[in-house]
């Protein structure tokens, strides 16, 4: 498969995954095609060597694994971690307000998006609803409105004369509600919203109890550039890393010849700190790995031995050098699109990379014929973080933070290089097979 074909596959993957809940459903569909078996956390697990399994927690976090021919205590776990969520806007519980004949959806900021990029876009809603089922139990269902449903129109420059000099600033409480509908005289705004959910989900509005709904951009992903060497979409951070890990582990050669137990762990809530029962700071990955250990041996020491032999690659996107803003980068640590995956370093452990884990990753890049780059953030700017330090500390597993370079991180429309996605898939395959 060429680099262009891999990125076309990635763009389709992102377009099918407008929310973390849809992202996990898209991953699950791919796993079923490769004969993976879903395990429920409430059931007793029976695992076989060479088996293909996955578990889902709360619809938006997933851990998939292939049990190796060797016990974990003898060969360890090879883990790729990433996250399914992206920063953006979420609909509030009492989400509809009315004023001056317009219905607006009230939103709360999730994580750290570039809010100005949400203006003048064809926005819609995706997520899940919870409702009372036919037998009185609480059930849930994914919903996605494919058509543009919402908009955040800019204020005309005639009323905001300083916007080009001062930048667009939006008051999070007062100026972010999204225009939704023009109301008829007797129409109630909340009932208008619930009727829309009823039509989409096929669930009577009286049975709908609550929802988790994210705002997303309906524009599809695309290639761009004179030679189509770049691509753009929403949620590249970090669905691109989820896709790369998934493509690597689903390679038939890797699936059929794994000695170590291979794991992909894709978490929700990274953008808000990972401290939840489904985030990297929760017990999900640890619970799965412990159950794999117990299936191999009842000796608790075997689990400690397995972790001591394990390695975690935390895959998250990196900040590509932007030629319009050279002062935003350390001159000796500029990284460029289409020049290979980036090893991310931070002395204050915002990233988990250190010399030994970096040396291992470099060797895997060399074996795969993949170029690599090193990145360090400017010392006078605060550095973001990833799941790497959190999961590594919780499990006691050596880890490294890597990712493909990209532009406009946390914009509703991000960009990256076509060649880099092929590079990261190659090196992750090397990691799983070495």
């Amino acid at each position: 498969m060429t680099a262009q074909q891999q990125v076309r596959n990635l763009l389709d993957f992102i377009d099918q995954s407008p929310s973390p809940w849809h992202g996990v459903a898209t991953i699950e569909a791919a796993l079923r095609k490769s004969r993976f078996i879903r395990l429920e956390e409430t059931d007793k697990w029976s695992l076989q060597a060479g088996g293909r399994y996955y578990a889902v927690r709360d619809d938006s976090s997933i851990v998939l694994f292939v049990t190796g021919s060797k016990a974990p205590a003898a060969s360890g776990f090879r883990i790729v971690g990433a996250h399914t969520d992206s920063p953006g806007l979420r609909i509030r519980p009492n989400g509809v307000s009315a004023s001056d004949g317009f219905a607006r959806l009230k939103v709360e900021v999730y994580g750290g998006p570039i809010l100005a990029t949400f203006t003048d876009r064809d926005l819609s809603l995706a997520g899940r609803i919870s409702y009372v089922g036919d037998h009185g139990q609480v059930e849930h269902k994914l919903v996605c409105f494919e058509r543009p449903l919402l908009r955040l129109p800019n204020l005309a420059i005639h009323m905001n004369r300083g916007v080009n000099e001062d930048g667009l600033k939006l008051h999070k409480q007062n100026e972010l509600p999204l225009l939704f509908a023009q109301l008829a005289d007797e129409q109630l705004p909340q009932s208008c919203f619930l009727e829309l959910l009823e039509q989409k989900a096929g669930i009577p509005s009286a049975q709908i109890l609550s929802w988790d709904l994210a705002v997303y951009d309906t524009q599809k992903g695309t290639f761009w550039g004179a030679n189509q060497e770049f691509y753009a979409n929403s949620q590249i951070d970090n669905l691109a890393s989820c896709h790369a890990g998934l493509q690597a582990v689903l390679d038939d050669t890797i699936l059929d010849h794994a000695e170590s137990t291979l794991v992909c762990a894709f978490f929700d809530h990274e953008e808000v700190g990972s401290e939840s029962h489904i985030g990297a700071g929760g017990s999900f990955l640890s619970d799965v790995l412990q159950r794999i250990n117990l299936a191999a041996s009842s000796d608790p020491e075997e689990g400690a031995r397995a972790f001591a032999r394990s390695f975690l690659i935390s895959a998250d996107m990196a900040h590509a050098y932007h030629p319009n803003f050279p002062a935003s980068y350390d001159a000796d640590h500029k990284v460029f699109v289409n020049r290979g995956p980036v090893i991310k370093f931070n002395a204050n452990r915002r990233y988990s990379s250190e010399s030994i884990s970096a040396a291992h990753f470099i060797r895997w890049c060399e074996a795969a014929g993949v170029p690599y780059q090193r990145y360090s953030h400017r010392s006078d700017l605060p550095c973001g973080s990833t799941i790497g330090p959190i999961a590594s500390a919780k499990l006691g597993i050596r880890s490294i933070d890597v990712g493909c370079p990209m532009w406009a991180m946390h914009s509703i429309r991000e960009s990256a290089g076509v060649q880099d996605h092929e590079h990261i898939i190659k090196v992750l395959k090397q990691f799983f097979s070495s």
Side-chain angles (χ1 to χ4, degrees):
M1 188 181 293
T2 68
Q4 289 280 131
Q5 289 170 329
Q6 287 173 329
V7 172
R8 180 68 266 166
N9 188 296
L10 166 64
L11 295 177
D12 292 342
F13 173 82
I14 294 175
D15 292 340
Q16 294 164 15
S17 309
S19 75
W21 305 277
H22 287 83
V24 167
T26 304
I27 292 167
E28 186 173 9
L31 294 177
R32 286 175 175 166
K33 289 181 181 178
S34 293
R35 304 189 308 279
F36 276 69
I37 298 170
R38 175 163 176 156
L39 303 171
E40 301 298 336
E41 290 192 90
T42 53
D43 294 341
K44 186 176 179 61
W45 291 4
S46 177
L47 307 180
Q48 306 296 323
R52 307 173 186 185
Y53 307 98
Y54 69 95
V56 175
R57 184 174 284 188
D58 202 28
D59 299 330
S60 58
S61 290
I62 185 168
V63 178
L64 60 106
F65 60 95
V66 180
T67 52
S69 58
K70 295 182 178 179
S75 59
F77 298 101
R78 291 184 176 270
I79 309 167
V80 171
H83 62 90
T84 59
D85 62 325
S86 298
L89 304 176
R90 301 288 175 89
I91 304 303
R92 290 178 178 270
N94 297 322
V96 191
S97 66
S99 61
D100 302 309
F102 292 100
R104 297 183 299 162
L105 290 192
K106 301 177 73 174
V107 296
E108 190 170 6
V109 177
Y110 177 86
I114 304 175
L115 293 175
T117 64
F118 283 73
T119 60
D120 302 323
R121 305 291 300 183
D122 296 331
L123 305 176
S124 201
L125 295 175
R128 65 178 178 179
I129 61 169
S130 296
Y131 62 97
V132 178
D134 294 337
H135 303 289
Q137 74 281 20
V138 173
E139 298 183 9
H140 50 90
K141 184 175 185 177
L142 296 186
V143 293
C144 177
F145 295 89
E146 292 82 7
R147 63 185 174 91
L149 191 66
L150 309 164
R151 203 165 187 87
L152 183 60
N154 246 306
L155 186 63
I157 195 170
H158 313 79
M159 303 165 191
N160 190 11
R161 291 288 184 181
V163 65
N164 290 331
E165 289 73 32
D166 303 329
L168 178 61
K169 300 175 183 178
L170 297 167
H171 191 282
K172 294 179 181 179
Q173 176 69 18
N174 300 330
E175 296 170 351
L176 279 186
L178 305 174
L179 289 183
F180 167 54
Q182 195 161 23
L183 296 172
D185 290 341
E186 304 298 324
Q187 196 170 16
L188 297 175
Q190 188 73 11
S191 63
C192 175
F193 178 60
L194 287 173
E195 287 169 10
L196 201 69
L197 291 179
E198 177 181 303
Q199 293 169 12
K200 190 64 184 177
I203 306 296
S205 60
Q207 294 176 223
I208 297 174
L209 301 175
S210 59
W211 51 78
D212 296 301
L213 293 172
V215 176
Y216 82 97
D217 188 356
T218 59
Q219 184 179 1
K220 303 296 185 183
T222 190
F223 294 94
W224 65 277
N227 300 303
Q228 302 287 275
E229 66 266 49
F230 312 118
Y231 67 94
N233 210 339
S234 62
Q235 302 182 101
I236 293 173
D237 173 26
N238 190 34
L239 289 184
S241 299
C242 293
H243 181 266
L246 185 65
Q247 294 305 301
V249 80
L250 292 185
D251 181 273
D252 287 337
T253 303
I254 291 171
L255 283 174
D256 295 336
H257 299 94
E259 290 189 352
S260 300
T261 295
L262 312 180
V263 182
C264 286
F266 303 142
F267 299 102
D268 198 357
H269 295 163
E270 188 273 347
E271 296 293 354
V272 292
S274 295
E275 290 298 322
S276 72
H277 74 295
I278 60 174
S283 67
F284 190 22
L285 178 56
S286 176
D287 290 345
V288 171
L289 298 184
Q290 293 287 8
R291 293 178 80 159
I292 297 171
N293 281 325
L294 287 172
S297 173
S298 59
D299 184 351
E301 191 176 59
E302 298 291 270
R305 292 178 62 207
F307 287 170
R309 294 181 184 274
S310 298
F311 197 101
L312 166 66
I313 293 181
S314 167
D316 207 341
M317 304 301 285
H319 300 293
Y321 176 71
H322 191 323
N324 291 8
F325 302 95
S328 297
Y329 304 85
D330 182 276
D332 297 317
H333 293 93
K334 294 184 291 188
V335 298
F336 298 85
V337 297
N338 288 323
R339 296 191 188 176
V342 176
I343 305 170
K344 301 188 284 187
F345 295 91
N346 181 262
N348 294 303
R349 302 298 291 173
R350 302 294 287 170
Y351 303 133
S352 61
S353 310
E354 33 74 23
S355 63
I356 295 176
S357 62
H360 283 296
F361 187 78
I362 290 169
R363 292 292 299 275
W364 292 320
C365 286
E366 291 173 344
V370 167
Y372 60 89
Q373 308 178 76
R374 295 178 173 93
Y375 178 79
S376 179
H377 211 55
R378 280 187 62 101
S379 297
D380 56 349
L381 292 176
C383 180
S385 191
T386 70
I387 67 163
I390 297 169
S392 177
K394 189 172 187 65
L395 298 170
I397 291 177
R398 187 181 298 281
S399 177
I400 188 170
D401 269 285
V402 304
C404 292
M406 67 176 291
W407 292 308
M409 186 181 290
H410 290 196
S411 168
I412 200 171
R413 195 74 177 170
E414 301 169 323
S415 291
V418 169
Q419 292 298 322
D420 289 322
H421 196 61
E422 179 182 47
H423 289 148
I424 193 68
I425 292 172
K426 282 184 175 179
V427 73
L428 293 181
K429 286 183 180 180
Q430 184 64 38
F431 167 64
F432 280 139
S433 62
S434 61

